[in-house]
Amino acid sequence: MTDAHALAARDGIPDDIAYLRSAYPKGDWAKHVNFGELCNFWLHVHQSLRAEGAAVESIIADFREDRLDARTFPQRFVPALNQFLGHLDGHHRIEDAVYFPKFRALDPRMQRGFDLLESDHHAIHAALETTVGSARGLLASLNQPQRDARAADEHAAHAATLTALLLRHLADEEDLVIPAMLEHGERRVG
Ligand SMILES: [Fe+2]
Ligand SMILES: [Fe+2]
């Protein structure tokens, strides 16, 4: 993985890695005869992850901007964060263990793209651990009003980093997996 393709540095993936992308424009995906349940499910899971990440960020914003008090905040924040991070971690585990090896087996040209997606998962996992740490710090600070703002700022920054990495990864992964399923058929990877 070159640094230029690292998740935090890149702005999309180049055509030589997403080599099927131009043949399957995003706006036409759902109309393709090979667009079936797995394509639909994949995009749906990604939409849920985007929504869950946004929900956590909005709870943090509500707390920082005094729309949630220190007593109500954890009741909203803890379950939302657990749901988001659990879903994210489970999704990446199944991709790494089950789906990505099947995509790699479709064509040797898939190798570079799936190396990239796997290294994205490591980067996201590291950001996830940092986010869990700062969430713990924030929760521990709630009984100490003078530290609330700083711990909340720190956690908001880590959560925003995680979200930015995730949004980039989800879009790039879709550029690889959906055209591959349209080209080869979902059954080859399902
Ligand atoms: Fe992924
Ligand atoms: Fe994914």
Side-chain angles (χ1 to χ4, degrees):
M1 185 62 45
T2 60
D3 286 347
H5 292 155
L7 182 56
R10 70 173 191 259
D11 181 22
I13 40 179
D15 289 341
D16 60 330
I17 295 180
Y19 65 95
L20 292 171
R21 181 172 53 193
S22 63
Y24 298 96
K26 188 169 186 163
D28 296 338
W29 286 348
K31 289 181 254 172
H32 194 279
V33 65
N34 281 344
F35 186 97
E37 279 179 25
L38 186 57
C39 288
N40 195 40
F41 177 70
W42 207 296
L43 294 176
H44 179 78
V45 168
H46 282 189
Q47 248 346 90
S48 304
L49 289 170
R50 289 181 184 101
E52 288 166 5
V56 171
E57 290 221 58
S58 99
I59 293 167
I60 298 165
D62 283 347
F63 177 61
R64 292 174 80 204
E65 290 158 28
D66 293 324
R67 289 186 295 273
L68 278 179
D69 63 33
R71 207 168 55 83
T72 317
F73 168 69
Q75 297 165 8
R76 302 260 322 269
F77 174 67
V78 171
L81 185 69
N82 283 340
Q83 182 184 330
F84 171 49
L85 298 185
H87 192 190
L88 175 58
D89 188 52
H91 179 60
H92 283 181
R93 280 175 197 274
I94 195 165
E95 287 180 339
D96 287 336
V98 178
Y99 288 109
F100 286 2
K102 293 181 181 178
F103 280 94
R104 289 174 181 279
L106 291 175
D107 187 318
R109 289 178 293 172
M110 294 284 169
Q111 187 77 24
R112 289 174 67 209
F114 284 84
D115 285 351
L116 183 147
L117 293 177
E118 278 186 15
S119 71
D120 287 358
H121 286 184
H122 293 301
I124 290 169
H125 194 78
L128 184 154
E129 302 248 296
T130 305
T131 301
V132 169
S134 66
R136 289 205 180 105
L138 170 55
L139 291 167
S141 78
L142 291 176
N143 297 325
Q144 306 164 22
Q146 74 280 9
R147 288 191 56 228
D148 275 0
R150 209 173 53 197
D153 290 350
E154 190 183 327
H155 178 66
H158 290 311
T161 299
L162 174 62
T163 303
L165 294 177
L166 179 63
L167 292 180
R168 180 75 268 149
H169 171 71
L170 295 175
D172 291 346
E173 186 178 289
E174 289 167 8
D175 276 352
L176 292 174
V177 302
I178 304 296
M181 286 191 270
L182 300 182
E183 170 86 0
H184 295 280
E186 289 184 357
R187 285 194 186 154
R188 299 276 305 277
V189 293

